[in-house]
Amino acid sequence: QALDAAGDRAGAIQHATEYAQRVRADLELEPDPSLIALAEQLRVAPVRRPPTPASEPGASSVAVLPFLSLGATPENEYFAEGIAEDLNVQLARVQSLSVISRTSATRYKTGDRSVRDIARELGVGAVVTGSVRRAGARVRVAAQLLDAGTGAPRWAETYDRSLDDVFAVQSDVALNIARALEATITAADRTRREKAPTQDARAYELVLLGRHHWTRRNDANMRKAIVCFEQAIARDPNYAQAWAGLADT
């Protein structure tokens, strides 16, 4: 029975048969009828497979949760949202990483769930959390990569930079997270990382604000989104994300 439970049906039948033969040959007795019945039952019953362990989340799977806005004014929340969204996009471009979509991670914005619970529900091996504080032309971004199993940081850093350096901050965060996850970073990944979508920080802000309005999906906010995207294009006519936002709206 132990052999059968372990998945060795053939071994179990062979063991029962050999035991019955030895009882007859050595002791000149008939084996216990229950043993004969067990051998016959094993021959006709379906094979029992040992349970397959649940698959573990991949070591290179990650979710970027919405960043907290620590600014004094509530309207700066759109800036923190945009930083997290763009970080998600940059990580998704690393071919060896599996990144959960932004829409799936957005529902954990309130922060009332543990990292371990969130990671289990999303099926990832790590979670990125962070905060953004903006004051005038300065921005402070704090980000950390948390292990899904323990909730402990695998990497953490705080950046206090000029708003003009925000793309460099995003690229550095993405690169360090990819390294912490032991992802393979190709030459193409590095090229994409080094290329900023625009050199105009104000145009970038306008695109983030336009996205913020766009997600509200009502007429008033759609009109505000159009204005933001058009103003961004006026500042940088080659800003592809601004044109894409306008087309989506």
Side-chain angles (χ1 to χ4, degrees):
Q1 288 176 320
L3 289 170
D4 180 50
D8 187 3
R9 172 63 56 82
I13 295 173
Q14 181 179 358
H15 180 77
T17 302
E18 289 177 352
Y19 178 80
Q21 290 173 348
R22 286 187 178 182
V23 169
R24 290 191 181 98
D26 296 343
L27 302 178
E28 297 182 352
L29 297 173
E30 285 298 316
D32 191 319
S34 62
L35 178 64
I36 303 300
L38 175 60
E40 291 300 321
Q41 180 183 356
L42 292 177
R43 286 188 178 94
V44 299
V47 177
R48 292 189 293 177
R49 305 289 185 185
T52 302
S55 59
E56 294 293 328
S60 296
S61 58
V62 63
V64 180
L65 301 188
F67 281 19
L68 297 176
S69 175
L70 303 181
T73 53
E75 57 266 23
N76 281 336
E77 182 179 355
Y78 76 88
F79 195 78
E81 292 176 353
I83 294 290
E85 181 177 348
D86 286 346
L87 176 59
N88 188 289
V89 171
Q90 289 207 25
L91 288 173
R93 288 173 177 167
V94 180
Q95 295 181 359
S96 58
L97 286 181
S98 175
V99 183
I100 294 296
S101 69
R102 181 187 65 85
T103 52
S104 296
T106 299
R107 66 178 185 269
Y108 299 102
K109 184 176 181 178
T110 56
D112 56 353
R113 305 289 301 281
S114 71
V115 167
R116 296 174 70 176
D117 287 344
I118 294 172
R120 183 175 62 253
E121 291 178 8
L122 293 175
V124 295
V127 170
V128 179
T129 64
S131 63
V132 178
R133 182 187 297 275
R134 184 181 165 201
R138 304 291 298 180
V139 60
R140 173 174 290 181
V141 178
Q144 57 181 346
L145 177 70
L146 304 176
D147 184 83
T150 64
R154 297 172 61 176
W155 171 85
E157 188 61 82
T158 298
Y159 302 83
D160 192 348
R161 303 281 185 86
S162 164
L163 188 60
D164 293 334
D165 293 332
V166 67
F167 296 120
V169 170
Q170 290 175 346
S171 295
D172 195 64
V173 171
L175 179 61
N176 281 297
I177 288 173
R179 285 174 173 167
L181 292 171
E182 299 181 357
T184 301
I185 302 172
T186 65
D189 293 332
R190 292 182 182 277
T191 300
R192 285 191 295 265
R193 188 182 69 87
E194 293 169 358
K195 186 177 180 180
T198 181
Q199 299 299 319
D200 191 311
R202 178 55 185 163
Y204 177 62
E205 285 187 82
L206 287 165
V207 166
L208 296 188
L209 184 56
R211 288 183 194 162
H212 176 79
H213 290 308
W214 184 86
T215 58
R216 270 55 187 171
R217 300 298 184 93
N218 57 57
D219 290 343
N221 277 288
M222 285 297 184
R223 286 193 291 271
K224 292 178 181 178
I226 290 173
V227 171
C228 289
F229 293 134
E230 288 179 341
Q231 289 179 350
I233 292 169
R235 296 185 65 91
D236 183 355
N238 297 317
Y239 192 2
Q241 292 178 4
W243 284 105
L246 185 60
D248 288 340
T249 309

